[in-house]
Amino acid sequence: MPPSDAELANEALAGSEEASRALVARYATPAVNFIFRLVRDRSLAEDLAQEGFLRVFQRLKTYDPERKFSSWFFQVLRNVTIDYLRVNRLATSSLDELTDAGFQAPEADRTSSSPERLAEQESLARAMDGALARIRPEYREVVVLRYQEGLTHPEIAEILGLPSGTVKTYLHRARKELAILLKPFA
Amino acid sequence: MTRDAIRDRNMPDRKELERWLFSEETGQEDAADAAFAHVFAALPKVEPGEGFVQRTIAEVWRLRARRRRLVAFGWAAAIVLVAGGALATYLASPRLAPAAIKAFVFASGHAVPWLVAYTTVAMDWWWTLARVGSVIASVLMTPARVAAVVGVELFGILAFFALQRIAGAGRLGDAHV
């Protein structure tokens, strides 16, 4: 059975490089994904994720093992991103630009679908990406935490420092706005 | 960065999108939540570049070592300063103590009379102003005027309360679906 996040955090705090590496490996993809949805720039997302990890390790002493590690982690990550966004304007890249740069679906998915279905899926992905970029940032945050990271309402509330009811409202409104934006696509 | 730096999950199609939109339109909150989770999977997943973990760990370790050096340096500097200060005080105390006592006596001898004199003057002014204020108030404030002032204050408080209620209702509206 793999060690829990709290166990890894504890070992990392005690100076274990192996535990630190395992923690980074476990959270690298969620971290980059979370930030990417907020800044829409892949290399910037990686830079900010790295800065987030540095801050996490710097403040590991303040982590309370009673709390869920992921909530604490995303809270730190969000603060790093907000700090960056406060002082910098974004030059964002859309999914189209990423696709043009060569980021495509893996071969396995490509061969399993018909060309029409594949085109439809890619078109839906673009539409979703565009719609997500158009909704309010606070809505986008809750959508990403809920549907990408699979966090619960109370966990999201803890990360964002909002009441759980407000998180539900944001999610509801975000979905409504996305539905309006994606309706022409259906 | 590799070609599959962005992976997709089980990508949904138009039917799932339509299912979600139908759930949203008919107000089925749970169904809409579940259906949207499928549709959201349309977004490709961004994988960190190769060597991200290695780079991050290297940076963490570099910063940790630097912080340890800084902490060690801070402790060493503090110990040197405290020890040096204690030694200097010990060596210089036979000369410093009488001089310090003299300086304290000199400062108190000059400062205390000055403080008393200025406090007395300030208090005189304060009482004079208080007397003038009470005379003006007794001339101006008739019972009718007092009632008018209280009325205006009550009206202001009520208006403020009403505004707060209106603003609060707007916020509460945000908190409920």
Side-chain angles (χ1 to χ4, degrees):
Chain A
M1 194 175 145
S4 69
D5 292 343
E7 284 167 348
L8 285 177
N10 212 16
E11 286 174 34
L13 188 60
S16 161
E17 186 173 342
E18 201 183 330
S20 306
R21 190 182 299 276
L23 210 54
V24 174
R26 194 175 283 183
Y27 277 94
T29 304
V32 172
N33 270 278
F34 173 66
I35 298 175
F36 176 76
R37 296 291 166 224
L38 302 181
V39 301
R40 294 167 57 76
D41 180 311
R42 194 180 187 284
S43 61
L44 177 61
E46 276 200 23
D47 289 348
L48 289 175
Q50 191 176 38
E51 205 179 315
F53 277 112
L54 293 182
R55 203 179 282 188
V56 160
F57 282 105
Q58 232 171 29
R59 297 182 182 176
L60 213 48
K61 272 183 196 168
T62 64
Y63 166 61
D64 174 11
E66 297 294 311
R67 279 179 73 186
K68 201 176 171 191
F69 181 82
S70 59
S71 301
W72 181 74
F73 175 77
F74 280 113
Q75 206 169 25
V76 175
L77 219 55
R78 179 176 179 261
N79 290 342
V80 168
T81 311
I82 287 174
D83 287 350
Y84 176 84
L85 292 176
R86 273 197 190 120
V87 287
N88 293 283
R89 278 177 65 88
L90 281 180
T92 57
S93 61
S94 68
L95 189 66
D96 287 339
E97 288 166 312
L98 288 167
T99 312
D100 292 344
F103 300 111
Q104 291 175 1
E107 291 302 319
D109 290 308
R110 300 189 151 267
T111 49
S112 64
S113 304
S114 68
E116 293 80 18
R117 187 154 191 269
L118 195 68
E120 190 177 285
Q121 286 171 338
E122 285 185 351
S123 164
L124 175 57
R126 282 203 183 85
M128 173 64 85
D129 182 63
L132 197 62
R134 286 175 64 186
I135 63 174
R136 284 164 57 176
E138 54 267 42
Y139 290 177
R140 202 184 314 148
E141 264 184 336
V142 291
V143 165
V144 170
L145 288 170
R146 172 83 180 122
Y147 298 107
Q148 184 174 278
E149 305 306 332
L151 300 181
T152 62
H153 294 151
E155 285 167 357
I156 299 169
E158 192 184 346
I159 292 167
L160 303 182
L162 294 170
S164 200
T166 309
V167 170
K168 279 184 195 166
T169 307
Y170 278 9
L171 274 174
H172 178 82
R173 289 184 181 172
R175 280 206 324 266
K176 286 279 177 205
E177 283 189 14
L178 288 170
I180 292 166
L181 292 167
L182 291 171
K183 199 168 184 181
F185 183 78
Chain B
M1 288 186 286
T2 57
R3 225 175 106 82
D4 62 348
I6 291 181
R7 297 176 196 283
D8 55 5
R9 294 173 263 183
N10 295 319
M11 288 182 77
D13 52 23
R14 200 179 296 267
K15 277 181 191 165
E16 285 183 87
L17 178 70
E18 283 165 1
R19 198 174 303 142
W20 163 54
L21 291 173
F22 177 75
S23 305
E24 287 291 354
E25 277 169 16
T26 51
Q28 304 169 57
E29 186 66 22
D30 291 341
D33 184 66
F36 182 73
H38 277 287
V39 176
F40 194 81
L43 279 177
K45 206 171 178 183
V46 184
E47 293 288 344
E50 274 176 42
F52 175 81
V53 174
Q54 187 55 40
R55 277 199 313 275
T56 304
I57 286 295
E59 191 64 13
V60 166
W61 244 248
R62 195 182 64 77
L63 281 183
R64 195 172 273 192
R66 205 179 80 175
R67 210 163 55 160
R68 276 189 190 149
R69 277 199 303 274
L70 271 176
V71 169
F73 176 77
W75 272 108
I79 288 167
V80 166
L81 279 175
V82 169
L87 187 68
T89 309
Y90 176 74
L91 293 175
S93 57
R95 287 181 196 168
L96 281 179
I101 291 165
K102 276 181 194 166
F104 178 73
V105 169
F106 178 81
S108 335
H110 283 77
V112 172
W114 179 89
L115 193 68
V116 170
Y118 276 86
T119 307
T120 312
V121 172
M123 290 300 286
D124 284 346
W125 274 102
W126 174 260
W127 287 119
T128 308
L129 282 175
R131 267 188 227 108
V132 170
S134 63
V135 168
I136 291 170
S138 64
V139 170
L140 290 179
M141 297 310 280
T142 61
R145 282 174 182 155
V146 170
V149 169
V150 170
V152 168
E153 280 176 0
L154 278 176
F155 181 76
I157 289 167
L158 281 173
F160 180 71
F161 183 69
L163 276 174
Q164 211 177 20
R165 289 276 298 189
I166 291 164
R171 273 206 307 277
L172 277 178
D174 277 349
H176 296 285
V177 178

